[in-house]
Amino acid sequence: GAGGTMAALGSDSWWKKTLYLTGGALLAAAAYLLHELLAIRKEQELDSKDAIILHQFSRPKNGVPSLSPFCLKMETYLRMADLPYQNYFDGKLSPQGKMPWIEYNHKKVSGTEFIIDFLEEKLGVNLNKHLGPHERAVSRAVTKMVEEHLYWTLAYCQWVENLHETQKMVSLFGPFSDVLKWILCHLTKGIVKREMYGHGIGRFSEEEMYTLMEKDMRTLAGLLGDKKYIMGPNISTVDATVFGHLAQAMWTLPGTRPERLIKGELINLAMYCERIRRKFWPEWHHDDDNTLYESEESSEASKTYSPLQDFSFYSRTETFDEEGNSISQTPDTDYTGHSLFDSDVDMDDYRDHEQCK
């Protein structure tokens, strides 16, 4: 029994005793950590018949839909294309080790570009119908600048320089959630630094990296100008990409250079992000909001936000009440029924207003 165990331990040196006693605790902690990080759960049978199942990281704590530009891009695209989808926050990576990924009619597709190609082919959606060959070429070039270049400098800001703030936003639950969060964030920091070095951009100094980031953001601001969306008055696929990335600078990087830039000199990018957030994410509130989506009497409520809904099937143009009756109000209208987006703030008026301050 226990006495025999203690007698056996007595003959061992002190470090063996320590190892024996702490080994079980360490093993338990390691198993729990593995469970949380790899999200080992009982496999659920997913019925993806004619339903888009979107696998992505869990919602963060600060009211932003995702700390991943690619997850935010993908979910925003589904809303822009008005495709109903179901979220799975199971932490399970695609067979290629990627996130996000989708399942549709039991087919798994990974990589946002391939997912969009797949959905266009299967469901006949196309946000780029109105674009000519030159505009499509520009869209692809901009997409690659954002995803292959700007992405890395924003990731550096998020997971290396501003890790302490990012750690507060990460959402983990369980008895060791704070420890797990610390480990997870520092693991991510190491991965980001290593991958940036492999990419080549991580071999520059921090100052040089921020110079490259500013050039990319100024390029986007110049391309947008005073237009409503990147390619003109109508939304296109590139807007999901640009929004997914710029939203990180807008709402997840407090006090950093990208945030100061987008909310200062490049204010047209901030207005662009707000436009898309209000049109396609009506339930995403932010502390700086002028409570467009909240009742006027709830001044206290304006300081807090309810967690984003995990829509079973989200459809932007058609929402249903509990009885299943269609509700005509869409995210495009305020409580008076007037459109919030058809008459955007004129850039010149905005600049005049800023100069008067």
Side-chain angles (χ1 to χ4, degrees):
T5 307
M6 291 310 290
L9 274 174
S11 62
D12 288 332
S13 60
W14 66 269
W15 64 268
K16 282 191 179 174
K17 279 191 213 175
T18 309
L19 192 65
Y20 185 92
L21 294 170
T22 59
L26 286 172
L27 197 64
Y32 183 80
L33 177 65
L34 203 64
H35 177 278
E36 286 296 313
L37 294 185
L38 302 180
I40 299 167
R41 292 177 175 82
K42 193 176 177 185
E43 280 295 310
Q44 288 176 285
E45 280 299 314
L46 300 183
D47 182 15
S48 67
K49 180 169 172 18
D50 298 330
I52 299 165
I53 292 167
L54 176 63
H55 295 263
Q56 61 167 318
F57 296 116
S58 298
R59 299 277 195 224
K61 281 182 176 174
N62 65 333
V64 173
S66 184
L67 294 174
S68 159
F70 289 99
C71 289
L72 183 51
K73 167 196 175 176
M74 197 63 245
E75 194 170 1
T76 302
Y77 172 85
L78 290 170
R79 290 174 175 225
M80 287 174 171
D82 200 17
L83 294 174
Y85 63 93
Q86 188 169 6
N87 271 317
Y88 266 70
F89 302 107
D90 51 6
K92 189 174 155 192
L93 300 176
S94 74
Q96 294 87 350
K98 284 187 165 288
M99 191 76 98
W101 55 288
I102 67 153
E103 290 179 78
Y104 182 80
N105 285 341
H106 304 289
K107 181 164 174 61
K108 298 175 181 180
V109 189
S110 173
T112 55
E113 187 171 349
F114 293 119
I115 293 170
I116 290 168
D117 288 347
F118 172 81
L119 293 174
E120 286 184 355
E121 183 192 337
K122 291 287 178 193
L123 302 174
V125 295
N126 190 345
L127 296 182
N128 297 335
K129 278 179 187 164
H130 59 285
L131 301 181
H134 177 261
E135 290 173 311
R136 286 171 195 246
V138 170
S139 289
R140 180 163 174 78
V142 171
T143 297
K144 292 303 142 190
M145 177 191 77
V146 170
E147 293 184 350
E148 306 294 340
H149 199 259
L150 177 62
Y151 166 78
W152 291 108
T153 52
L154 289 174
Y156 174 84
C157 194
Q158 201 170 30
W159 295 103
V160 181
E161 193 216 359
N162 212 41
L163 183 66
H164 181 67
E165 288 295 325
T166 304
Q167 195 174 313
K168 292 179 194 171
M169 299 174 197
V170 172
S171 179
L172 270 184
F173 303 100
F176 305 115
S177 59
D178 287 341
V179 177
L180 287 169
K181 204 189 291 188
W182 188 92
I183 293 170
L184 182 66
C185 288
H186 282 77
L187 279 173
T188 306
K189 175 182 177 178
I191 292 166
V192 167
K193 286 181 82 170
R194 191 180 71 235
E195 290 191 345
M196 286 182 75
Y197 191 84
H199 175 280
I201 201 167
R203 299 174 192 229
F204 296 114
S205 70
E206 185 175 293
E207 189 54 41
E208 287 169 327
M209 279 194 278
Y210 278 122
T211 299
L212 294 174
M213 182 207 70
E214 287 195 12
K215 285 185 176 184
D216 287 348
M217 286 179 70
R218 286 182 207 282
T219 299
L220 290 173
L223 190 64
L224 177 65
D226 59 1
K227 299 195 300 293
K228 192 170 181 180
Y229 300 115
I230 294 292
M231 300 311 295
N234 299 312
I235 208 94
S236 59
T237 304
V238 70
D239 291 299
T241 303
V242 174
F243 176 75
H245 288 73
L246 290 183
Q248 308 304 322
M250 273 286 285
W251 293 295
T252 74
L253 297 171
T256 60
R257 286 191 34 191
E259 190 205 47
R260 290 197 300 273
L261 197 61
I262 198 170
K263 292 182 179 176
E265 187 185 339
L266 308 181
I267 194 73
N268 68 328
L269 293 181
M271 294 171 68
Y272 165 81
C273 286
E274 278 290 354
R275 249 194 308 280
I276 291 177
R277 179 174 72 94
R278 289 180 177 178
K279 181 158 188 167
F280 298 103
W281 289 93
E283 78 282 24
W284 168 2
H285 303 296
H286 196 260
D287 291 341
D288 302 334
D289 276 3
N290 55 5
T291 63
L292 267 172
Y293 289 97
E294 295 163 18
S295 58
E296 290 304 315
E297 62 264 16
S298 62
S299 57
E300 279 303 303
S302 68
K303 295 293 173 197
T304 60
Y305 39 73
S306 54
L308 287 164
Q309 298 169 45
D310 301 338
F311 289 99
S312 269
F313 286 102
Y314 175 88
S315 177
R316 185 172 64 84
T317 54
E318 190 94 321
T319 51
F320 297 87
D321 61 18
E322 287 174 8
E323 305 298 316
N325 301 314
S326 179
I327 302 166
S328 60
Q329 180 174 314
T330 75
D332 293 9
T333 56
D334 64 13
Y335 289 106
T336 64
H338 294 119
S339 172
L340 296 166
F341 314 101
D342 291 341
S343 54
D344 288 309
V345 179
D346 186 82
M347 287 303 295
D348 292 330
D349 292 348
Y350 193 90
R351 285 194 198 98
D352 293 344
H353 172 66
E354 284 294 301
Q355 285 163 5
C356 291
K357 281 188 178 176

